[in-house]
Amino acid sequence: MTDSEKLDLLLKQMGAMDDRFTQLDNRIMKLENGVTDIRLTLENEIGPNIRRVAEGHLDLSRKLDEALKVENEKEMLIIRVNTLENEMRRMKDKINSFA
């Protein structure tokens, strides 16, 4: 192989390598753009939406606590009414036993 042929072969190989590097650069740029899009989506959409859901969950939790508090008070009132009804029945029985 002559020096000229060797040089031509070397130039072709370098041209092929240059094409590969260009393709790699393009792929890397696409990946960087994709990553940037993902970051923007996370920052501008997903993060705020998660905060909104968390705030809604917190509100629901507060409402549940309030509802449970009312339910507990109701339960205590039912127990108290049952106790008073039993005492009233006993008093009626005592009064009826005197009559």
Side-chain angles (χ1 to χ4, degrees):
M1 206 186 267
T2 66
D3 287 338
S4 174
E5 291 172 339
K6 289 180 184 178
L7 184 59
D8 286 341
L9 181 61
L10 184 60
L11 288 174
K12 284 181 186 177
Q13 288 176 347
M14 287 181 67
M17 286 177 52
D18 191 40
D19 289 342
R20 285 187 196 163
F21 282 127
T22 301
Q23 290 174 357
L24 283 174
D25 283 342
N26 290 337
R27 288 175 65 191
I28 288 171
M29 285 176 60
K30 286 180 185 178
L31 286 172
E32 286 175 344
N33 289 337
V35 169
T36 300
D37 287 344
I38 291 170
R39 284 183 178 162
L40 288 173
T41 301
L42 282 170
E43 184 178 325
N44 296 328
E45 293 177 30
I46 294 174
N49 288 341
I50 288 174
R51 276 190 232 81
R52 281 187 201 104
V53 169
E55 288 169 1
H57 178 73
L58 184 60
D59 289 341
L60 287 174
S61 179
R62 285 185 195 134
K63 288 178 184 176
L64 177 62
D65 288 343
E66 289 173 17
L68 289 176
K69 188 169 134 182
V70 169
E71 191 64 30
N72 287 340
E73 289 174 7
K74 179 181 167 186
E75 199 171 298
M76 292 303 292
L77 285 173
I78 290 171
I79 291 171
R80 189 165 181 208
V81 166
N82 282 338
T83 303
L84 290 172
E85 285 176 347
N86 286 332
E87 285 182 29
M88 183 63 83
R89 188 174 20 85
R90 276 189 249 133
M91 292 180 107
K92 280 182 178 181
D93 288 343
K94 280 185 181 181
I95 290 174
N96 286 335
S97 69
F98 293 131

